[in-house]
Amino acid sequence: MSQKAIKSFKQLDKDDFRILEAIEQGMRSHEHVPVKIISIISGFPEDEVIFRLDKLHQLELVIRWIGGYIGFELNSNGHDSLALNALVRANTIEAIGMPIGVGKESDVYEALTPEKRSVAIKFHRLGRISFRQTRRLRSYTAGRKHLSWLQESQIAARREYVALKRIHPVISSVPEPIGQNRHCVAMELIEGEELSNILEIEEPTVILTKIIEIMKTIYHSCGIIHADLSEFNILITPEYNTIIIDWPQWVNQTHPNAEMLLKRDVHNVLTFFKKRFGISEFLISVINYLKEN
Ligand SMILES: Nc1ncnc2c1ncn2[C@@H]1O[C@H](COP(=O)(O)OP(=O)(O)OP(=O)(O)O)[C@@H](O)[C@H]1O
Ligand SMILES: [Mg+2]
């Protein structure tokens, strides 16, 4: 979501959202939703719809298509606005703030809850990296053909939320889940630095041990493997707490590739600690320790 999209969001009233929702609904059966259909779904007369569509078009939330008829579809700003509005209506957040992180497949923003607590909002954006790579990384949508970026992003957001819901009550080393809608997840804002950015640390062995202990707890008490773990998905807080983020690719312990994915996670972490801090641990001993009860 760009700064421009945030500005646009603030200019929308409840009837504008009704039009956006009508387009979203219409897009299930139309690539370009005709004005007439938007009017029927929203319950607004056509002239009112045209007036509001002009505004939404100017705010760059919809795409206007001119062919045999005039049709509309939502762009990513339009989808972002609907997700944000739903989170606002659910009293999950009150306002959206500044960007705090851009990942390969997401934009993360700061937001404020009605209780004035700062939280993080992650907009999943699958399909931003190459098709081949996303297929390789995202086994959970493999086999489902022709999913749009939006459908894939919604699946990712739901999966991430489910993982956080399962893990956080057991161990607070993941962000607390706060809400989820469409392709967005609202979660605890972690004040911390990505491990990959930390060049020096007093006791790296302590941090490594913490990470292994967290993985072990999550493996045994939740039956979950991260499956995309690396120094980029571990945040270190100023108090040296270790928080593991970015969960959409998690798998259950019973997943056919569980063993391989667990090994890969541990391998990534050990390789980083060896390169950056010169700590050597045997992969196999760490895996065995992690798996024993
Ligand atoms: N709860 C959070 N609190 C603070 N910062 C966060 C939080 N979640 C994410 N971030 C920041 O946003 C960045 C991107 O988030 P995340 O790693 O979850 O997604 P991603 O990197 O896009 O996913 P992928 O690894 O698939 O590319 C993180 O590296 C981190 O800096
Ligand atoms: Mg990440």
Side-chain angles (χ1 to χ4, degrees):
M1 195 172 200
S2 63
Q3 288 306 310
K4 192 162 188 294
I6 289 177
K7 229 170 141 189
S8 306
F9 176 74
K10 290 176 181 157
Q11 295 177 43
L12 301 176
D13 62 34
K14 76 174 198 327
D15 292 346
D16 296 323
F17 285 115
R18 213 157 123 185
I19 300 284
L20 288 173
E21 270 164 7
I23 302 173
E24 181 186 52
Q25 218 176 308
M27 282 169 71
R28 291 184 200 143
S29 46
H30 295 77
E31 200 176 335
H32 317 287
V33 189
V35 175
K36 203 182 173 75
I37 301 285
I38 300 172
S39 161
I40 292 169
I41 299 175
S42 66
F44 288 132
E46 267 186 52
D47 52 350
E48 165 97 24
V49 169
I50 290 167
F51 166 77
R52 292 206 176 258
L53 281 169
D54 259 350
K55 171 178 172 186
L56 297 173
H57 188 242
Q58 266 175 30
L59 291 173
E60 294 177 25
L61 302 171
V62 298
I63 299 166
R64 178 157 52 199
W65 175 83
I66 303 175
Y69 61 92
I70 298 179
F72 288 82
E73 60 184 295
L74 299 181
N75 63 17
S76 71
N77 291 337
H79 288 292
D80 288 355
S81 300
L82 281 180
L84 277 183
N85 184 50
L87 290 172
V88 170
R89 278 207 314 240
N91 276 327
T92 306
I93 59 162
E94 184 180 80
I96 176 111
M98 299 301 286
I100 49 175
V102 176
K104 287 194 302 293
E105 299 190 285
S106 74
D107 294 321
V108 184
Y109 279 78
E110 191 171 345
L112 211 57
T113 69
E115 297 78 34
K116 314 294 177 215
R117 173 183 178 198
S118 283
V119 295
I121 301 276
K122 178 171 173 180
F123 294 87
H124 283 261
R125 302 206 193 285
L126 270 64
R128 200 148 68 176
I129 56 177
S130 83
F131 182 77
R132 238 184 65 221
Q133 199 181 359
T134 55
R135 281 292 163 209
R136 183 177 61 76
L137 292 172
R138 264 186 272 119
S139 56
Y140 58 83
T141 53
R144 301 189 212 195
K145 280 189 195 148
H146 306 308
L147 289 184
S148 67
W149 70 269
L150 185 70
Q151 288 169 314
E152 292 212 22
S153 302
Q154 291 188 1
I155 294 170
R158 276 189 216 121
R159 282 187 61 90
E160 177 154 45
Y161 190 64
V162 166
L164 298 179
K165 279 280 220 196
R166 271 174 63 177
I167 301 168
H168 191 267
V170 174
I171 180 168
S172 58
S173 303
V174 300
E176 178 196 347
I178 295 175
Q180 190 264 317
N181 186 271
R182 294 177 173 82
H183 56 302
C184 285
V185 181
M187 63 183 116
E188 177 184 357
L189 176 71
I190 307 297
E191 301 282 353
E193 190 61 59
E194 276 177 33
L195 180 58
S196 61
N197 291 333
I198 296 181
L199 301 177
E200 267 178 57
I201 201 162
E202 253 177 44
E203 293 185 284
T205 319
V206 174
I207 301 288
L208 175 58
T209 308
K210 268 192 198 171
I211 296 169
I212 305 293
E213 287 302 326
I214 294 166
M215 290 175 79
K216 187 173 167 111
T217 304
I218 294 174
Y219 183 77
H220 288 285
S221 303
C222 314
I224 286 178
I225 297 162
H226 186 287
D228 188 27
L229 193 62
S230 73
E231 62 273 25
F232 301 102
N233 289 331
I234 299 173
L235 301 181
I236 309 292
T237 72
E239 301 81 35
Y240 293 101
N241 284 327
T242 306
I243 309 290
I244 303 186
I245 59 164
D246 203 359
W247 285 89
Q249 312 204 60
W250 68 278
V251 296
N252 269 315
Q253 221 182 47
T254 51
H255 187 278
N257 296 335
E259 177 88 21
M260 183 275 281
L261 293 167
L262 180 70
K263 224 182 209 165
R264 194 175 71 183
D265 279 356
V266 176
H267 171 80
N268 289 345
V269 172
L270 293 186
T271 305
F272 171 79
F273 275 85
K274 173 127 203 254
K275 264 201 208 148
R276 182 72 51 96
F277 303 115
I279 297 174
S280 288
E281 291 282 350
F282 285 112
L283 179 63
I284 195 72
S285 359
V286 176
I287 302 267
N288 286 342
Y289 169 71
L290 222 152
K291 284 170 74 179
E292 84 197 12
N293 242 318

